[in-house]
Amino acid sequence: MSKELIRLKDVTMTFDDVTVLKDINIYFNDKEFLTLLGPSGCGKTTMLRIIGGFQTPTTGDVFFDGERINDVPPYRRQVNTVFQKYALFPHLNVYENVAFGLRIPRETTYENGKTEKVKLSRDEIDSRVREMLEVVSLKGFERRSIASLSGGQQQRVAIARALVNRPKVLLLDEPLGALDMRLRKDMQQELKRIQQQMGITFINVTHDQEEALAMSDTVVVMNEGVIQQIGTPEDIYNEPKNAFVADFIGESNIVDGIMRADRVVEIFNRRFACLDGGFEKDEPVDVVIRPEDVDIVSEAEGQLRGTVTSVTFKGVHYDTIVDFYGFKWLIQTTDYCPVGSRIGIRIDPDGFHVMKKSKYSGLYGDYSSYSEEYDEINDPTLLDVEEEGAGDEE
Amino acid sequence: MKKNRFGSRFLIGLCFLFLYLPIFLLIFFSFNKGDSSAVWKGFSLRWYAELFRNRLVLESLATTLLVSLLATAIATVAGTFAAIGIYSLTKKWRDPVLVVNDLPMMNADIVTGVSLLLLFVAFFRGWGAIAAWLNSWQSLIQFPTRLTLGLGTLLIAHVSFNIPYVILNVAPRLRQMDANLVEAAQDLGCTWIQAFFKVILPEIKPGIVSGALIAFTMSVDDFVISYFTAGSATQTLSMTIYSMTKKRVTPVVNAVSTLIFLAVLILLIINNIREARQDKLAAKRASFEPVRVDPRAERFRAWLGTPRGKLARRVAAAALCVVFVSTTVFLTAFTTSRPVVNVCSWGEYIDEDLIDEFEAETGIRVNYQTAESNEALYSLLSNGGADYDVVVPSDYMISQLIEEGRLEELDYSQIPNFEKIDDRFKNLPYDPENKYTVPYTWGTVGIIYNETMVDEEIDSWAALYDSKYAGQVLLINNSRDAFGIALKYLGYSVNTTDAGEITQAYELVRDAYERGVFQGKVMDEVFQTMEGGNAAFATYYAGDYLSMLENNEDLRFVVPKEGSNWFVDAMCVLKDAPNYDNAMKWINFIASTDSNLRNMDYIWYASPNKEALEMYPEWYEEQYGEALDPEIYEIMAAPQEVLDRCEMYVCLPKATRALYNDLWIKLGL
């Protein structure tokens, strides 16, 4: 599986003095489903466009199969793209949209070094288009015009149009962004299935962490033009490298702590057993405690004691905000604790994740402005996702 | 409420009436049997027949179509690419550029026209040196060293004013287009050019089509810019129509206008049907129904995909190209083939069959153009764009042109028909030794009056200043004639340079004006007004009186006892005429007795050819089987005793011209 296919080496991209990508070094393996995840403006789409050939990096090199392709135009790359708003051709019907790439004569280089423009036969085009429409479950839609399709159907046409060219890599630019929540769930499954069926590399760009976790073999978390962490979804969730990643992936309570010894972390002047080690003695650290890793117990039994300040019913669980010594935590629990009650909590050693201090320390993880934070997320689809995602974790 | 609705309907009705009544009137009168635009004489298609025999109209129509089609094609391609270029600029630059694009459309045509003329003239001036230099170091292509305004400059002008309209129509389409479409096409294997043809072009096609349609309409419609940039040898339809209306709105103009209106109407209807169909289709597509495709269309499309269909497509495309190119070549040849002679005369001033005969006889193409007035001709000549061979100015203008050295001496050995010119019309003051001119027509100015509106015998200019006829007199709208008549009435010479005398004449006119004698100042409207019986008196030319008489039998003409102005229009050749020998042939041809007879019959102006003048009544009887009314003949060809009372205008000194001008403005009518 893991043969290296694409490599970005020291890639930096600047637009009008604004640096969008900073010294990116990354490689992509063959047949992998990889997601570039990050908030808008983090440079993920730019990276995709550099791979697609729509942009040339300011400095640094792009390699494909070991060959430098900085100056290879998009139409000569074995890469196809599914654009954000699909960019289907409105004047062509479904069939012609899918057949579009096949009808362009391709330059083929033979073993003896000769190149020739080769046109596919009508029959070959027809069979490949029909095959691909079947893959994306759009059989029978051949003659339909693009305007008559729903968002999900257009999405499938866009995927078919790209895949019919048999690229080695499919680039997807926020492919599910325009779909409603339910459709998005279905398409996540669908995309994964198609990727496995085609056996090629998918590079997906999204700002939706739940989507990234659900579909990907590898997730690349980016912020401010810098790669924050590369890993499997489990790694990213369980072992975030810094406060940004911890906060961006799922819900996290991030508190200041001190490593008193290997496997001993101190927060709120109390020592807790944990599984982390390898820090210097008394090194200040960030400690992540996931809301679902906290057990509510009676005040007397608790390792920490606090007051419930807000409770929100979420279906499967309650989002309970608890004030511990002035620091507000989010706890997700099936036990109902009324506002104002005093409670205690217990955290198992594997509930702690200790991270080195970074530039993001102290920026995230406090839920004292919990309600406002939700208000700020005025994009309803985004809100849906986060609530859904939180529900899924239980 | 009800009343309100009625009111609004009434207003709408009024609006439409206001908009369409003139057009209906025009269509109505295009079928008039008579040649007036005021008096209905029964239904006839004669003006349409005449239209298609009128070579001036047909030639200018060909020019118009050629220029409009070519300009539209070029402007559409250039404008489309310009729009794409503008669209791919950053926003900081795009908006200012679009504003710059809007400016020429809002700019007054006259400014555009004059500035283009200046540009061309400046370029021509520089070109001589460039061409000489180019010719000096290579002999493969000989570049002409002297360029003139013509089809080329007209085309450039049209392209330049059409491009903004195309950009204006294409740019919004580009803005609506998904910016990723081009990238998607490139991603799927297209080069930029392929992406352009396969994706951008279909997307912006509606914008291109409407841009092209507007450009074409603007081109066909344009008068002002063409007027400045077409030069002397090229004339568009609008220019021809304008020169035809100079003397009067002939029903031929009505017929042309009707046809243009119908053509536009049909285009509009086709366009509307097309749009309605597209809307329907779009609505169907947007509703989730599958679009039902005509099976025949489907089969045809499938057939187009087969090798045979592809061949057919190529053949059709090639055929279209051939048709387009050959039409262009044909039209170009039609308008510019050689040998030629370029003639500039007045509208409705020749029996056009003569042109055809001359061409058939000599093989020389006649480029027959018209100017509006002596002054317009003069300005054409003096700004250097014109390259006429033969012009037909009036006496006083001839003397001015001779004085300024703008005329070439004629080679009378090539004009044997000059012998036939009556001695009375030779060696006239404007050309005392007769080295430059061969007379074309002559005539008198007199009073045209409506017999039913006066109860006395009219034989004096006094009637024109008489309070008795308050509101019934049309004052001729040019200072020379208006004051000239007054001078004559006061017993002075029309050519006086005495400021006191001229001022007296001014006061006479001024006084009559203040007493409300004049209905207005008129030039061309004199025809409609007099024929319609809407004024009692006018001052005009004898020949034109005769054509008015055809439409209103109550009109009379008299050369008053105080005397009047008489004029000669003569053919001259311009200095450095490019086709001098052809010009001599043309002049000789026109001076012949036969040509003179037919011209006299056609335009009702007297001939200077002695034989023709004497023979005319006899010839008329032969032609029409009835005798010519001697009174009419006398008006057409005034007897010598009338001419003795009359004076010919000479070119006035500058100071006197300025005085005329000042007084005319002071009159402020």
Side-chain angles (χ1 to χ4, degrees):
Chain A
M1 169 160 170
S2 49
K3 175 186 157 243
E4 179 185 310
L5 192 61
I6 298 175
R7 176 178 284 272
L8 304 190
K9 191 162 165 276
D10 303 326
V11 166
T12 295
M13 186 83 199
T14 39
F15 295 111
D16 303 333
D17 302 335
V18 179
T19 304
V20 183
L21 291 177
K22 242 178 280 177
D23 293 322
I24 298 290
N25 279 290
I26 190 174
Y27 63 90
F28 303 89
N29 285 331
D30 200 9
K31 300 187 174 63
E32 180 176 34
F33 199 123
L34 186 138
T35 300
L36 303 178
L37 174 66
S40 50
C42 73
K44 56 191 192 299
T45 299
T46 306
M47 202 199 283
L48 199 74
R49 290 172 61 80
I50 287 174
I51 298 168
F54 304 115
Q55 249 138 27
T56 313
T58 316
T59 59
D61 297 308
V62 186
F63 295 95
F64 190 92
D65 244 352
E67 229 173 284
R68 185 172 175 278
I69 56 162
N70 283 38
D71 305 316
V72 176
Y75 58 88
R76 291 236 185 88
R77 295 192 181 193
Q78 288 169 296
V79 169
N80 283 110
T81 309
V82 174
F83 290 88
Q84 192 162 11
K85 284 172 206 144
Y86 318 137
L88 297 175
F89 304 126
H91 62 287
L92 300 175
N93 64 19
V94 170
Y95 184 96
E96 286 303 322
N97 260 280
V98 176
F100 189 91
L102 299 179
R103 295 203 193 282
I104 314 285
R106 296 282 170 157
E107 211 163 77
T108 312
T109 310
Y110 297 109
E111 279 169 12
N112 59 12
K114 270 190 182 172
T115 56
E116 198 186 9
K117 291 224 164 186
V118 177
K119 229 173 152 181
L120 295 179
S121 72
R122 282 176 66 79
D123 291 339
E124 166 141 31
I125 292 174
D126 192 63
S127 74
R128 275 171 73 172
V129 169
R130 288 184 195 282
E131 179 192 30
M132 198 44 68
L133 285 175
E134 209 157 328
V135 169
V136 298
S137 323
L138 278 180
K139 219 178 156 191
F141 283 69
E142 288 85 351
R143 295 257 165 255
R144 291 276 289 269
S145 82
I146 295 305
S148 74
L149 300 181
S150 68
Q153 289 164 337
Q154 292 190 10
Q155 164 83 78
R156 287 159 196 269
V157 176
I159 293 169
R161 184 181 70 174
L163 285 178
V164 79
N165 303 294
R166 299 186 178 156
K168 288 203 172 151
V169 178
L170 183 71
L171 307 177
L172 302 113
D173 187 3
E174 307 250 1
L176 309 179
L179 302 181
D180 64 47
M181 200 252 296
R182 181 163 293 282
L183 208 53
R184 189 157 28 191
K185 293 253 159 215
D186 294 344
M187 279 311 291
Q188 285 176 10
Q189 304 293 324
E190 190 84 6
L191 275 177
K192 189 78 196 159
R193 176 184 68 73
I194 293 170
Q195 190 255 336
Q196 276 156 3
Q197 188 176 340
M198 304 300 294
I200 61 168
T201 307
F202 275 33
I203 301 178
N204 179 35
V205 157
T206 186
H207 60 257
D208 179 350
Q209 42 103 2
E210 188 266 344
E211 179 187 313
L213 297 180
M215 292 197 293
S216 319
D217 299 322
T218 304
V219 177
V220 179
V221 185
M222 296 182 64
N223 193 38
E224 297 173 328
V226 175
I227 294 173
Q228 303 292 334
Q229 189 171 1
I230 304 175
T232 64
E234 289 84 358
D235 287 346
I236 299 276
Y237 188 82
N238 294 328
E239 307 286 334
K241 271 225 174 102
N242 57 36
F244 172 79
V245 178
D247 182 74
F248 196 76
I249 313 288
E251 299 288 348
S252 307
N253 301 297
I254 305 168
V255 295
D256 289 330
I258 298 167
M259 274 317 262
R260 289 301 179 193
D262 275 359
R263 279 170 270 289
V264 179
V265 64
E266 183 184 297
I267 53 171
F268 299 115
N269 297 321
R270 270 155 221 273
R271 296 186 183 208
F272 291 85
C274 66
L275 303 178
D276 302 271
F279 294 89
E280 282 176 35
K281 191 171 177 329
D282 298 337
E283 185 181 341
V285 290
D286 287 333
V287 182
V288 179
I289 300 123
R290 295 286 182 186
E292 69 274 16
D293 291 338
V294 181
D295 290 325
I296 294 184
V297 294
S298 70
E299 198 181 357
E301 286 173 88
Q303 294 164 317
L304 290 169
R305 280 173 278 275
T307 313
V308 176
T309 59
S310 127
V311 180
T312 315
F313 179 57
K314 289 286 177 176
V316 184
H317 66 266
Y318 295 95
D319 272 0
T320 308
I321 303 290
V322 185
D323 188 336
F324 295 108
Y325 319 106
F327 191 93
K328 291 191 174 159
W329 288 35
L330 172 68
I331 296 169
Q332 289 169 344
T333 167
T334 49
D335 304 321
Y336 175 72
C337 307
V339 173
S341 60
R342 296 281 298 168
I343 57 160
I345 56 164
R346 293 192 75 88
I347 305 163
D348 293 337
D350 65 356
F352 293 99
H353 171 64
V354 181
M355 310 176 298
K356 282 201 182 286
K357 283 278 179 194
S358 69
K359 61 186 273 204
Y360 298 109
S361 299
L363 294 177
Y364 307 103
D366 177 15
Y367 284 85
S368 51
S369 56
Y370 180 70
S371 57
E372 286 105 84
E373 192 174 313
Y374 263 42
D375 284 342
E376 275 167 31
I377 305 169
N378 46 17
D379 176 5
T381 55
L382 206 64
L383 190 66
D384 278 349
V385 173
E386 298 211 334
E387 284 174 355
E388 270 303 310
D392 271 4
E393 305 307 334
E394 278 287 32
Chain B
M1 268 327 265
K2 207 170 184 185
K3 202 176 169 192
N4 244 342
R5 197 179 298 158
F6 174 77
S8 68
R9 274 185 195 165
F10 178 72
L11 272 179
I12 290 172
L14 216 61
C15 283
F16 277 112
L17 193 72
F18 188 71
L19 284 173
Y20 282 96
L21 190 65
I23 295 170
F24 286 132
L25 220 58
L26 173 124
I27 295 174
F28 182 71
F29 275 107
S30 74
F31 295 109
N32 193 359
K33 201 180 211 162
D35 62 1
S36 162
S37 291
V39 185
W40 177 253
K41 286 239 172 121
F43 179 85
S44 145
L45 287 174
R46 82 176 250 224
W47 300 113
Y48 288 90
E50 202 142 298
L51 169 65
F52 286 102
R53 278 199 315 254
N54 188 322
R55 50 174 292 150
L56 200 56
V57 171
L58 292 183
E59 270 178 29
S60 54
L61 179 68
T63 307
T64 298
L65 287 181
L66 173 71
V67 169
S68 303
L69 283 173
L70 278 178
T72 304
I74 297 170
T76 304
V77 173
T80 302
F81 281 107
I84 292 170
I86 291 169
Y87 183 72
S88 59
L89 291 172
T90 56
K91 206 170 160 43
K92 191 175 109 193
W93 288 103
R94 191 193 305 160
D95 293 346
V97 170
L98 282 175
V99 170
V100 170
N101 177 60
D102 286 348
L103 265 177
M105 286 183 284
M106 291 185 285
N107 199 3
D109 279 1
I110 191 134
V111 178
T112 311
V114 171
S115 50
L116 280 168
L117 175 67
L118 283 177
L119 175 77
F120 291 140
V121 170
F123 175 73
F124 293 164
R125 221 166 270 156
W127 172 252
I130 298 172
W133 177 74
L134 284 173
N135 290 339
S136 70
W137 60 265
Q138 56 89 37
S139 52
L140 206 61
I141 314 163
Q142 282 301 304
F143 291 96
T145 48
R146 190 168 156 255
L147 294 176
T148 50
L149 295 172
L151 213 57
T153 49
L154 186 65
L155 183 63
I156 293 170
H158 277 238
V159 169
S160 81
F161 77 73
N162 276 340
I163 285 177
Y165 291 98
V166 177
I167 294 178
L168 186 76
N169 278 276
V170 174
R173 280 274 155 187
L174 283 166
R175 202 171 304 138
Q176 281 168 26
M177 198 177 81
D178 184 343
N180 281 335
L181 281 188
V182 179
E183 286 184 352
Q186 286 178 304
D187 185 72
L188 293 168
C190 288
T191 59
W192 193 91
I193 295 293
Q194 285 172 317
F196 172 77
F197 282 108
K198 282 174 181 287
V199 177
I200 302 181
L201 205 59
E203 276 300 292
I204 62 176
K205 202 168 82 186
I208 296 176
V209 171
S210 61
L213 275 177
I214 290 176
F216 183 71
T217 319
M218 296 313 271
S219 248
V220 172
D221 190 50
D222 177 68
F223 169 73
V224 178
I225 297 172
S226 303
Y227 183 77
F228 283 101
T229 53
S232 51
T234 316
Q235 198 161 327
T236 66
L237 187 60
S238 58
M239 288 158 78
T240 304
I241 292 176
Y242 180 66
S243 69
M244 285 166 101
T245 60
K246 169 58 196 153
K247 292 189 76 178
R248 58 186 311 179
V249 183
T250 69
V252 174
V253 174
N254 295 347
V256 183
S257 307
T258 301
L259 290 182
I260 293 175
F261 176 74
L262 285 180
V264 171
L265 191 72
I266 289 168
L267 256 179
L268 203 73
I269 290 171
I270 290 173
N271 200 36
N272 278 355
I273 291 174
R274 211 184 102 230
E275 266 172 25
R277 257 202 208 149
Q278 275 176 354
D279 285 351
K280 234 188 203 166
L281 210 64
K284 221 174 204 174
R285 279 186 180 158
S287 72
F288 284 55
E289 275 171 59
V291 178
R292 206 171 307 131
V293 185
D294 184 356
R296 271 174 308 173
E298 189 79 331
R299 243 177 288 144
F300 180 65
R301 217 168 287 162
W303 176 76
L304 283 181
T306 64
R308 194 175 287 184
K310 261 180 206 157
L311 185 70
R313 245 155 66 186
R314 270 182 208 149
V315 168
L320 262 178
C321 285
V322 167
V323 167
F324 188 75
V325 169
S326 56
T327 313
T328 311
V329 169
F330 171 75
L331 286 176
T332 315
F334 187 57
T335 42
T336 60
S337 68
R338 263 138 237 272
V340 314
V341 57
N342 299 323
V343 180
C344 185
S345 180
W346 318 120
E348 290 284 295
Y349 215 47
I350 190 168
D351 178 351
E352 288 188 355
D353 293 344
L354 288 173
I355 300 177
D356 295 334
E357 274 166 40
F358 176 76
E359 288 185 339
E361 214 170 89
T362 62
I364 297 167
R365 236 188 68 79
V366 181
N367 229 326
Y368 192 86
Q369 310 289 323
T370 56
E372 290 75 52
S373 64
N374 280 300
E375 287 66 30
L377 175 69
Y378 180 77
S379 73
L380 267 176
L381 298 181
S382 53
N383 65 35
D387 59 347
Y388 302 121
D389 298 306
V390 181
V391 291
V392 194
S394 303
D395 34 47
Y396 70 99
M397 185 54 65
I398 293 172
S399 57
Q400 190 176 340
L401 291 174
I402 292 173
E403 217 169 88
E404 293 177 12
R406 292 183 186 277
L407 297 186
E408 191 77 66
E409 287 186 23
L410 301 184
D411 176 4
Y412 289 95
S413 68
Q414 292 191 56
I415 313 173
N417 282 331
F418 183 66
E419 287 302 306
K420 298 188 179 148
I421 301 294
D422 193 329
D423 285 339
R424 288 187 296 165
F425 307 115
K426 289 179 179 170
N427 310 318
L428 287 165
Y430 58 81
D431 182 14
E433 291 162 54
N434 222 318
K435 293 197 291 193
Y436 298 97
T437 55
V438 173
Y440 185 79
T441 52
W442 60 277
T444 53
V445 174
I447 298 176
I448 300 171
Y449 65 97
N450 190 319
E451 204 177 34
T452 61
M453 299 166 85
V454 297
D455 50 9
E456 56 183 326
E457 182 154 349
I458 302 297
D459 65 347
S460 163
W461 292 113
L464 298 186
Y465 310 110
D466 194 337
S467 293
K468 195 158 66 166
Y469 301 116
Q472 296 293 336
V473 180
L474 302 175
L475 182 66
I476 194 159
N477 188 11
N478 84 53
S479 57
R480 189 80 205 256
D481 285 319
F483 292 146
I485 287 160
L487 284 168
K488 217 61 203 160
Y489 172 62
L490 294 169
Y492 305 131
S493 159
V494 293
N495 297 317
T496 182
T497 55
D498 184 322
E501 291 176 2
I502 295 170
T503 309
Q504 273 185 52
Y506 158 74
E507 270 156 13
L508 175 69
V509 177
R510 170 98 209 159
D511 178 56
Y513 166 58
E514 275 166 5
R515 281 181 283 115
V517 175
F518 302 128
Q519 190 181 89
K521 289 198 293 195
V522 292
M523 212 64 207
D524 314 336
E525 311 93 290
V526 71
F527 288 95
Q528 273 85 346
T529 316
M530 292 307 288
E531 284 169 9
N534 295 319
F537 293 97
T539 322
Y540 225 66
Y541 306 100
D544 295 317
Y545 157 71
L546 292 170
S547 44
M548 287 184 216
L549 184 63
E550 286 203 319
N551 293 305
N552 189 338
E553 291 175 354
D554 300 330
L555 297 180
R556 293 291 169 267
F557 181 86
V558 64
V559 178
K561 59 184 182 207
E562 296 93 350
S564 179
N565 159 243
W566 78 288
F567 66 89
V568 173
D569 287 352
M571 294 180 277
C572 325
V573 171
L574 292 176
K575 203 111 205 151
D576 301 326
N579 311 292
Y580 184 84
D581 289 337
N582 295 347
M584 295 303 120
K585 284 184 191 144
W586 170 255
I587 292 174
N588 189 50
F589 177 82
I590 290 299
S592 73
T593 306
D594 180 56
S595 300
N596 269 280
L597 278 169
R598 281 162 53 189
N599 259 344
M600 192 166 170
D601 189 53
Y602 188 83
I603 62 179
W604 300 101
Y605 276 63
S607 160
N609 178 308
K610 195 164 198 258
E611 242 172 56
L613 195 60
E614 281 163 9
M615 268 172 67
Y616 182 66
E618 202 182 310
W619 185 88
Y620 183 93
E621 204 168 336
E622 255 171 52
Q623 290 285 307
Y624 300 102
E626 54 174 303
L628 177 66
D629 183 343
E631 255 180 60
I632 285 182
Y633 179 66
E634 228 172 67
I635 288 170
M636 197 192 296
Q640 191 53 43
E641 74 258 23
V642 173
L643 281 191
D644 288 343
R645 293 207 296 272
C646 295
E647 256 187 299
M648 185 172 271
Y649 287 141
V650 301
C651 191
L652 294 170
K654 213 169 176 183
T656 313
R657 288 210 298 264
L659 179 64
Y660 264 77
N661 208 20
D662 289 347
L663 292 174
W664 187 245
I665 290 166
K666 216 164 129 194
L667 197 60
L669 257 155

